[in-house]
Amino acid sequence: MKTRKIPMRKCVACQEMKAKKELTRIVRSPEGEVTVDQTGKKSGRGAYLCHEPACIEQAKKKKVLESHLKAKIPADLYEQLEKGSHTS
């Protein structure tokens, strides 16, 4: 039986390549709304972030998500990531 290729993505904060399922996707919709994408299939510009608290803090401090998505990131989005409500 053939083994399936695991899709890999890079965390925008720590720059580590990880399996897509291990990361959280934050997406900017065509309308400019920034949300957490639990399915990984929403249309729009996406950026991936580790579940690690250090990565979330680093992304918040350095405004990594803002530069990748070219949009203002609401504070409640970071709170949602920190609480862990982004897990599928």
Side-chain angles (χ1 to χ4, degrees), residues 25-31 37 41-47 69:
R25 184 172 187 250
I26 294 88
V27 66
R28 175 181 47 90
S29 67
E31 295 81 37
D37 181 10
K41 295 179 181 181
K42 284 186 181 176
S43 65
R45 177 81 176 158
L69 298 176

Side-chain angles (χ1 to χ4, degrees), residues 26-85:
I26 294 88
V27 66
R28 175 181 47 90
S29 67
E31 295 81 37
E33 184 185 350
V34 179
T35 56
V36 176
D37 181 10
Q38 280 96 0
T39 63
K41 295 179 181 181
K42 284 186 181 176
S43 65
R45 177 81 176 158
Y48 290 87
L49 197 60
C50 292
H51 297 173
E52 301 294 322
C55 281
I56 296 167
E57 193 59 40
Q58 184 180 355
K60 190 175 183 178
K61 246 185 227 173
K62 295 185 177 181
K63 299 186 179 185
V64 177
L65 286 174
E66 286 187 19
S67 64
H68 274 272
L69 298 176
K70 296 176 177 66
K72 185 88 173 118
I73 308 298
D76 65 326
L77 186 97
Y78 287 113
E79 289 170 21
Q80 188 180 353
L81 289 169
E82 287 166 357
K83 284 180 189 167
S85 61

Side-chain angles (χ1 to χ4, degrees), residues 1-6:
M1 193 174 209
K2 215 174 183 184
T3 57
R4 291 184 62 157
K5 186 177 160 227
I6 300 168

